[in-house]
Amino acid sequence: MSQDIEQPSNSQSNLPNDEPLRTSTTHHVHLDDDALDDNHENNSTEHSHTLQHSHSPEDSHANPHVDSHHPDDHIKATEELDNDDLPEEISDEDKETIKKVASDDNLSQAKSYASILVEQVIHAKETFKRSLGSLFTSAFTAGLEIGISFFVILSAFALLNDVLPSRYAMVLSSLLYPIGFIIVVIGQSLLFTEQTSLLSLPVLNKIEPLHKLLRLWGIVIAGNIVGGCIFAALMIGLGLHMHLFTDHAIDAYAEHILGFEWWVIFGSAVLAGWMMGVAAWLVTSARDTLSRIVLVTLITGSIGFLGLHHSIVGNIEVFSALLYGNTVSLWHYLVFLVVVLVGNTVGGVVFVAVLKNRTFLFEIEKVKEQTAEARAKMDRRRF
């Protein structure tokens, strides 16, 4: 038999007085591997959600207004967290608190903080479960797709450089930077800098071990780099034969990327990784494709405009100069790649995943305190 527990409309409101919770001795809350269910049910008239204890096949099709082909259907589970889904070691109080702060009960309002984080953890868990072949193929595809940005940028730069000073031509052409990122993000290929902070969330919440994260990162990086190098070898060579740009344009763009001390490149890569982590967070917060395109355009366009160092796009830019230019050596290419990969990783993990995750845990504690205060007031009224 199904039992419904009504979710409060405000994730920060107190729990109902007629459902007192037992005192908890658990002080640390983690999102467990079995804590997240995949069924989604929405009542569009009342804008409210219920937590279903039974998961019959009919439940997943209860709402005809939900588009079954929407790319995020498999991660819309933040409203369906049950007591039975949460691990036994978590107290009843903490179970109610997690369900409360993760609820997202009004489609006309912005998603709650916890709802975004839970969706990201669910998506990351699904990525951990994918086969190695699937992961590498998706990452390889992203490496190819992201190269479209550089191909268009380089063509625009060569054209503008004939009528504008090189500096202005570089800045204006960089505004085309988001094209490849839009293709990757909306197409849901695996791009390392987008997945850096996302994939670390299950490890931070002790759902997945660190060694699996490192292996997953390695597969995604390898796929991105191999795809990017193949794109550079084939498509950049094609562009040269089509006279869209010259080897001098390739060298100029490589100098634009490499013309700094290593610590400057590292700092720039940290900022770029941070911004890409923020982009992943904002994309999850958006409810429709158009909003996601706008967010990706704003964030990645800023990265291109500022000339920040992105490891996957930078790999294509510098490798193209290694193949077809006259100024880049293999050593410069390898050192650049290592420095930028480390910088992007630090920016994505430290400034996004760790801080966002800690904020979520602080929010859990805040709601627990509010619940305890409400329970104390209720007890005083009884006596």
Side-chain angles (χ1 to χ4, degrees), residues 29-36 81 86-87 90 98 102 114 117-122 125 201-202 204-208 357 360-361 364:
V29 180
H30 300 289
L31 299 173
D32 191 84
D33 186 37
D34 298 323
L36 306 165
L81 296 179
L86 297 169
I90 294 181
I98 290 176
L117 185 64
V118 170
E119 283 193 19
Q120 288 197 338
V121 173
I122 294 171
K125 283 171 69 272
L201 288 173
L204 292 174
N205 288 285
K206 300 183 179 179
I207 296 174
E208 299 288 350
N357 195 67
F360 170 72
L361 297 181
I364 289 285

Side-chain angles (χ1 to χ4, degrees), residues 19 23-24 32 41 97-98 174 181 220 224 278 281 294 346 352-353 356 358-359 369-370 376:
E19 295 185 17
T23 303
S24 170
D32 191 84
E41 182 176 6
T97 303
I98 290 176
S174 69
F181 288 93
V220 174
N224 287 168
V278 170
W281 179 271
V294 172
V346 171
V352 179
K356 295 290 187 182
R358 289 307 307 169
T359 303
E369 291 175 3
Q370 292 175 344

Side-chain angles (χ1 to χ4, degrees), residues 253-264:
Y253 220 93
E255 177 61 25
H256 171 67
I257 300 299
L258 296 174
F260 303 94
E261 298 288 340
W262 73 266
W263 59 270
V264 176

Side-chain angles (χ1 to χ4, degrees), residues 18-286:
D18 60 347
E19 295 185 17
L21 301 174
R22 294 185 302 177
T23 303
S24 170
T25 57
T26 305
H27 300 288
H28 300 283
V29 180
H30 300 289
L31 299 173
D32 191 84
D33 186 37
D34 298 323
L36 306 165
D37 181 32
D38 218 11
N39 295 323
H40 175 70
E41 182 176 6
N42 171 50
N43 187 325
S44 60
T45 303
E46 299 178 0
H47 298 292
S48 62
H49 297 282
T50 57
L51 300 174
Q52 300 296 331
H53 286 281
S54 63
H55 303 290
S56 62
E58 292 80 11
D59 290 342
S60 61
H61 302 288
N63 181 14
H65 300 290
V66 176
D67 183 3
S68 61
H69 299 289
H70 193 281
D72 287 337
D73 281 351
H74 66 291
I75 62 173
K76 297 292 186 182
T78 58
E79 303 90 354
E80 259 81 38
L81 296 179
D82 299 338
N83 283 341
D84 294 339
D85 293 326
L86 297 169
E88 294 181 357
E89 59 268 20
I90 294 181
S91 67
D92 285 351
E93 181 182 16
D94 285 346
K95 289 177 181 179
E96 294 299 328
T97 303
I98 290 176
K99 290 189 296 183
K100 183 179 177 183
V101 299
S103 63
D104 187 21
D105 41 284
N106 195 332
L107 293 178
S108 65
Q109 297 178 357
K111 291 183 182 180
S112 66
Y113 188 99
S115 175
I116 298 172
L117 185 64
V118 170
E119 283 193 19
Q120 288 197 338
V121 173
I122 294 171
H123 182 72
K125 283 171 69 272
E126 292 301 317
T127 303
F128 271 91
K129 294 177 182 178
R130 293 172 63 174
S131 66
L132 299 183
S134 173
L135 291 170
F136 182 84
T137 302
S138 182
F140 176 80
T141 302
L144 293 173
E145 293 170 341
I146 206 70
I148 297 174
S149 281
F150 181 58
F151 189 87
V152 177
I153 288 173
L154 198 58
S155 300
F157 170 70
L159 181 64
L160 293 173
N161 199 38
D162 292 335
V163 295
L164 293 174
S166 179
R167 177 182 178 86
Y168 295 103
M170 190 77 67
V171 171
L172 288 176
S173 61
S174 69
L175 296 178
L176 298 169
Y177 203 76
I179 294 175
F181 288 93
I182 293 173
I183 297 172
V184 169
V185 173
I186 303 304
Q188 297 188 330
S189 300
L190 288 176
L191 184 67
F192 174 65
T193 50
E194 184 207 359
Q195 299 288 328
T196 306
S197 59
L198 186 68
L199 295 178
S200 63
L201 288 173
V203 176
L204 292 174
N205 288 285
K206 300 183 179 179
I207 296 174
E208 299 288 350
L210 178 60
H211 70 86
K212 290 185 67 175
L213 173 65
L214 296 178
R215 183 185 67 176
L216 192 55
W217 275 352
I219 295 171
V220 174
I221 290 172
N224 287 168
I225 290 176
V226 171
C229 289
I230 291 178
F231 182 92
L234 299 179
M235 295 298 102
I236 301 302
L238 177 65
L240 286 171
H241 286 88
M242 293 176 64
H243 306 292
L244 295 176
F245 40 77
T246 65
D247 57 343
H248 298 293
I250 296 175
D251 283 334
Y253 220 93
E255 177 61 25
H256 171 67
I257 300 299
L258 296 174
F260 303 94
E261 298 288 340
W262 73 266
W263 59 270
V264 176
I265 295 177
F266 176 79
S268 173
V270 170
L271 180 55
W274 183 357
M275 294 177 68
M276 286 301 300
V278 170
W281 179 271
L282 294 178
V283 164
T284 305
S285 72

